[in-house]
Amino acid sequence: IQPTSSPTDTPSTSQQPTSSPTDTPSTSPSTLPTLVPSASPTTSAMPSMAPIPYSRSTRVDLRYEPWSRLPAETRTLVSTRLNYDENSWNAYSTNPVEERDWSNLEPLEKDAARRLGYDQYSWDCWQNHFRSYTWDDLEFYGLDFPYIALGWTSLSWEGTEAPPPSATMSWKELTAAERQLASELCHFRDNWDGLDMTPNYNGDFLYPKVKRRYVEWDEQPTDARRIAADSLSYDRETWNFLGTAPIEGKRWLELTEHQKSDAMSLGFYQRTWDCFLNHYRSYAWVELDRDSRDALQVLGWSENTWERNVEPPSYDNDWSRLSENEQTTAAILCFFEDNWDGNSLEVVSDLVITEDGTVVEEGFIIHVDGGVDGVVGSNSGGTNTGSIDGSDLGGSNSGGSNLGGSNTGGSSASGSSSGGSSGGSSTVGSNEGGSNTISTANGQTPNVILNQDADIMSVKSIDQANSADTAGVNRMSCIFTFVLSGSIIQFLL
């Protein structure tokens, strides 16, 4: 078909096209839209950018104060509203409430969190570290970038794949760049490593020893025995003979939620359970941190023998036959003489539990500056009490070392003070059996138990302050300052 030499003045009226369509579309679109779309629309699960730019919130420093330093009203608030107790407060990330983001807190929990100084962003960052967010949530807020740089993927985040190596590294094992990335997620050394603010008076251990575990079965309160026997299946024999309980062959992550709850009631959490009870035996070699691997190698382990569970010759030795270096190294794995040798608590334990649940030793040494050491503990005749009578630091006492003036059987730590009548004050020595307390003139026991957490204390100084009792009689209060593993502890008698 050939076109005419020139177009006509009017369009043709034919309903058929004048020629076949071309193989390729014309360069310009048609003037009218088609009745149906040419393709399905594109979809996106999340918006293309976050509505609120992320910036790290301010840390709530109160959260990093030990339980013992919290005001009474704060302890009441966090225990009644957020279900904290001393253990879960001191050991970071052990309270299930920290596994929930702000949107999943109950109204009373949010109120308590606000009173502590948190808001939505500081809670989700400093308490939760965005762990309860989905991967899509992280992408939405731009938080996937630091997690990706730390080795996480959507699959490992959701639990389909194993977590990256950084998840099991200690803070010091991270590179400087990784630490910077972790800080964007509100981590710093203490909370990354699992801060435990429980006093640790034995520096050989990385974590505070759970003393309750080393009180023999018959000395345990009824409730503690019931909890230990429940999901953890302890009985008198497996409790008293250290290292024989089958449950201790499991790491924390292998415990059921019921077992974890019972273990926490006994004072354990993941780090103390895995170290003191399991000694990392349920860990794969690659899961161990550098310090633990180094310690195991000193004791004779290798990756091959660890994975095949072939104990090195050092494990055949009694504790006393280990070298000093081996003993120090074994402590990194939370071994000490009794649990290394598998001793019976019926034979070796000198721990008791007081009525208020405090674990104390039957005897401990007090080094009195300028005086003779005295051991607080027992007296063959029963209770042996040293007292402050409120009037004088002089006088005498028949046992231990006197904190002023002369003493029969002891020595003076300081000269006599002025004012008041005789009667004196003393720390009392010990023999076998019975118990010992230090009390005020009116017979009240101080609210600080000297032998609660330490074997050795020393009297640093004695300050005096006159006060009046309810009868209007002048009496003297003594502020005792003790040096305890480098820390200063004061209490008023």
Side-chain angles (χ1 to χ4, degrees), residues 172-189:
K172 69 180 180 181
E173 290 179 299
L174 299 177
T175 65
E178 287 171 330
R179 291 178 191 175
Q180 179 61 37
L181 291 164
S183 70
E184 291 299 313
L185 302 168
C186 295
H187 281 294
F188 61 109
R189 183 193 63 186

Side-chain angles (χ1 to χ4, degrees), residues 79-286:
S79 61
T80 57
R81 297 285 184 86
L82 297 171
N83 202 33
Y84 280 104
D85 57 19
E86 183 172 5
N87 290 329
S88 60
W89 180 269
N90 282 343
Y92 189 75
S93 294
T94 59
N95 188 342
V97 76
E98 297 176 9
E99 294 299 321
R100 288 185 277 143
D101 60 55
W102 185 267
S103 66
N104 287 309
L105 296 182
E106 299 294 334
L108 289 178
E109 292 173 329
K110 289 181 181 179
D111 177 69
R114 288 190 187 98
R115 291 167 64 180
L116 293 176
Y118 287 101
D119 57 21
Q120 177 177 354
Y121 301 107
S122 58
W123 178 275
D124 286 358
C125 191
W126 288 101
Q127 288 282 73
N128 184 254
H129 306 289
F130 313 107
R131 290 187 299 257
S132 64
Y133 283 33
T134 66
W135 190 258
D136 284 342
D137 291 335
L138 296 180
E139 290 180 332
F140 177 60
Y141 289 108
L143 295 166
D144 56 325
F145 296 112
Y147 273 116
I148 289 172
L150 289 170
W152 291 91
T153 66
S154 60
L155 293 178
S156 59
W157 186 260
E158 302 296 346
T160 305
E161 294 181 350
S166 65
T168 57
M169 290 180 178
S170 64
W171 185 259
K172 69 180 180 181
E173 290 179 299
L174 299 177
T175 65
E178 287 171 330
R179 291 178 191 175
Q180 179 61 37
L181 291 164
S183 70
E184 291 299 313
L185 302 168
C186 295
H187 281 294
F188 61 109
R189 183 193 63 186
D190 290 342
N191 64 13
W192 178 274
D193 286 340
L195 173 67
D196 188 344
M197 296 178 287
T198 305
N200 185 6
Y201 297 121
N202 190 327
D204 292 336
F205 302 129
L206 297 179
Y207 315 108
K209 184 166 69 173
V210 182
K211 286 191 173 183
R212 179 182 293 274
R213 174 62 187 88
Y214 305 103
V215 178
E216 65 172 296
W217 181 263
D218 290 339
E219 293 292 335
Q220 296 284 343
T222 301
D223 284 347
R225 291 199 300 269
R226 176 185 56 78
I227 292 170
D230 184 18
S231 67
L232 301 176
S233 301
Y234 281 106
D235 56 24
R236 178 181 286 102
E237 182 176 357
T238 56
W239 181 271
N240 284 340
F241 284 89
L242 299 176
T244 62
I247 193 67
E248 296 177 4
K250 295 182 178 182
R251 63 190 289 184
W252 185 265
L253 295 180
E254 295 172 328
L255 302 180
T256 66
E257 292 305 313
H258 187 181
Q259 290 169 334
K260 290 177 184 178
S261 176
D262 284 346
M264 291 184 69
S265 296
L266 297 175
F268 285 96
Y269 65 102
Q270 181 171 357
R271 292 181 183 274
T272 51
W273 178 277
D274 287 354
C275 191
F276 281 98
L277 298 189
N278 184 253
H279 307 291
Y280 308 113
R281 292 298 292 268
S282 295
Y283 280 60
W285 185 265
V286 295

Side-chain angles (χ1 to χ4, degrees), residues 367-405:
H367 294 304
V368 182
D369 294 348
V372 175
D373 297 341
V375 180
V376 174
S378 56
N379 182 329
S380 58
T383 300
N384 187 354
T385 303
S387 65
I388 307 287
D389 73 351
S391 59
D392 196 328
L393 291 181
S396 63
N397 188 293
S398 59
S401 64
N402 193 341
L403 296 180

Side-chain angles (χ1 to χ4, degrees), residues 392-463:
D392 196 328
L393 291 181
S396 63
N397 188 293
S398 59
S401 64
N402 193 341
L403 296 180
S406 62
N407 185 300
T408 303
S411 68
S412 172
S414 65
S416 61
S417 67
S418 61
S421 61
S422 61
S425 66
S426 173
T427 55
V428 185
S430 70
N431 294 308
E432 294 78 22
S435 62
N436 185 289
T437 61
I438 295 179
S439 62
T440 59
N442 59 7
Q444 295 179 341
T445 301
N447 58 5
V448 175
I449 299 175
L450 298 185
N451 56 351
Q452 178 174 349
D453 288 300
D455 296 328
I456 298 177
M457 287 176 157
S458 63
V459 177
K460 179 73 173 176
S461 63
I462 302 174
D463 298 322

